[in-house]
């Protein structure tokens, strides 16, 4: 027995009135054992029927009293009759009528499925999270576009640093070459003198203070004089001691260390 059959055949109401055949009664009772919605509907219908019975009982009491008053004297009987009618009017019949109407409204109102309500709430939360993430991504995109627009404008006095490879020496040494970072987003040009460009292509790693990897790339070709020129966004370089590691890429085989360059970025 499903909800469509129950609604079309008014099963809860007929069940309370005792008008179901044995097979329908048994099927409906089994259905209410697993369906909280139909059980609640049955309880509301039972309350509605009880209210109707109470109203009928009140009306019967009033009718019986009026019959008894008819046997009394006229003046006395009319006074008591008016009192009885007033009491009958003030009895809970109005309240019961309101309760009946409220129960009818509740019976007619659709019952939300708890699982659907939970899924709907989850979908709303996911939508709110997605909107927040979209706003964050839009803000980050606007920031990057602003930096890119500033970097693509023609710039004067671009810092250029010509670096020679480090020579092996005992103990750590502070960088002797230094570059001033621009105050706003811009470009830094590093000219790396490879001295003898033995390989057709090179890979480069830029490391920050403490050796942290900031950027890497490969496939770079030096110019005929053996100089490898790199243009880097200034936002990539933090203040402090930095280094550039260059490896040669032979046609076959693993990368070979070609040179290391060190410099200090001040901002």
């Amino acid at each position: 027995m499903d909800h469509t059959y129950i609604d079309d055949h008014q099963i809860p109401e007929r069940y309370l009135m005792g008008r179901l055949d044995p097979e329908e009664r048994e099927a409906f009772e089994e259905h209410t054992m697993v369906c909280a919605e139909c059980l609640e509907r049955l309880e509301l219908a039972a309350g509605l029927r009880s209210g109707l019975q109470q109203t009928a009982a009140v009306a019967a009491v009033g009718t019986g009293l009026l019959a008894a008053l008819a046997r009394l004297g006229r003046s006395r009987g009319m006074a008591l009759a008016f009192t009885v009618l007033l009491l009958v009017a003030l009895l809970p019949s109005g309240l019961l009528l309101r309760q009946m109407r409220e129960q009818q409204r509740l019976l007619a109102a659709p019952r939300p499925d708890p699982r659907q309500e939970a899924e709907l709430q989850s979908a709303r939360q996911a939508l709110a999270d997605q909107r927040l993430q979209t706003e964050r991504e839009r803000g980050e995109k606007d920031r990057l576009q602003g930096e890119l627009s500033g970097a693509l404008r023609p710039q004067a006095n671009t810092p250029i640093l010509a670096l020679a490879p480090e020579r092996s020496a005992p103990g750590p040494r502070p960088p002797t070459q230094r570059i001033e970072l621009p105050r706003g987003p811009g470009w830094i040009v590093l000219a790396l003198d490879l001295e003898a460009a033995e390989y057709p292509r090179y890979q480069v790693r830029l490391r920050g203070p403490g050796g942290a990897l900031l950027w890497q790339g490969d496939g770079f070709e030096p110019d005929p004089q053996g100089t490898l020129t790199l243009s880097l966004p200034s936002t990539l370089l933090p203040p402090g001691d930095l280094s550039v590691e260059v490896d040669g890429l032979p046609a076959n085989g693993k990368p070979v260390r070609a040179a290391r360059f060190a410099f200090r970025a001040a901002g």
Side-chain angles (χ1 to χ4, degrees):
M1 181 173 292
D2 56 21
H3 288 161
T4 302
Y5 183 88
I6 292 172
D7 294 337
D8 293 344
H9 295 80
Q10 299 180 344
I11 296 299
E13 293 77 9
R14 291 173 57 207
Y15 176 84
L16 294 173
M17 297 173 66
R19 294 182 179 179
L20 295 179
D21 56 48
E23 293 182 357
E24 285 183 323
R25 171 182 290 274
E26 183 178 355
F28 180 63
E29 289 176 347
E30 292 178 355
H31 179 78
T32 56
M33 293 178 65
V34 297
C35 181
E37 178 181 349
C38 287
L39 181 61
E40 183 180 1
R41 177 175 176 179
L42 182 62
E43 293 174 351
L44 289 173
L48 176 62
R49 181 174 177 83
S50 175
L52 290 172
Q53 291 175 348
Q54 292 179 18
T55 302
V58 171
V61 170
T63 302
L65 288 175
L66 289 175
L69 290 173
R71 296 191 292 269
L72 297 175
R74 180 176 180 181
S75 60
R76 184 180 177 188
M78 291 188 65
L80 289 175
F82 178 77
T83 303
V84 170
L85 289 174
L86 181 61
L87 289 174
V88 170
L90 294 178
L91 280 174
S93 58
L95 177 60
L96 290 175
L97 181 60
R98 288 194 297 272
Q99 292 177 346
M100 289 163 52
R101 291 175 178 173
E102 178 64 18
Q103 289 171 349
Q104 289 176 342
R105 185 187 67 81
L106 293 175
L107 284 173
R111 300 291 176 188
D113 189 339
R115 292 174 298 180
Q116 295 178 350
E117 185 67 23
E119 292 176 357
L120 180 60
Q121 183 64 28
S122 178
R124 288 172 178 167
Q125 184 61 42
L127 180 59
D129 294 341
Q130 183 61 38
R131 287 176 177 172
L132 181 59
Q133 181 64 23
T134 301
E135 290 297 327
R136 291 175 178 172
E137 292 177 354
R138 183 181 293 115
E140 181 65 14
K141 180 180 178 181
D142 293 342
R143 185 187 68 81
L144 293 176
Q145 285 181 341
E147 292 185 0
L148 180 60
S149 298
L152 291 178
R153 289 195 301 266
Q155 299 181 15
N157 301 322
T158 300
I160 301 176
L161 181 63
L163 296 175
E166 281 187 330
R167 306 300 179 186
S168 59
R173 295 180 304 167
T176 58
Q177 295 174 301
R178 173 189 177 101
I179 189 171
E180 291 288 337
L181 297 176
R183 295 182 179 179
W187 293 92
I188 298 291
V189 177
L190 300 181
L192 309 177
D193 184 7
L194 300 179
E195 295 183 345
E198 301 177 2
Y199 302 95
R201 292 179 177 82
Y202 292 83
Q203 69 178 11
V204 179
R205 289 182 299 276
L206 174 66
R207 296 190 180 275
L213 182 63
L214 302 178
W215 169 83
Q216 66 179 0
D218 55 25
F220 299 107
E221 298 180 8
D223 62 17
Q225 288 73 37
T227 300
L228 187 62
T229 303
L230 298 176
S231 297
L232 302 175
S234 61
T235 54
L236 187 63
L237 281 65
D241 293 346
L242 293 84
S243 63
V244 179
E245 299 171 351
V246 180
D247 296 337
L249 299 176
N252 296 310
K254 297 181 179 179
V256 179
R257 175 62 58 86
R260 182 181 185 274
F261 306 87
F263 65 99
R264 177 168 296 176

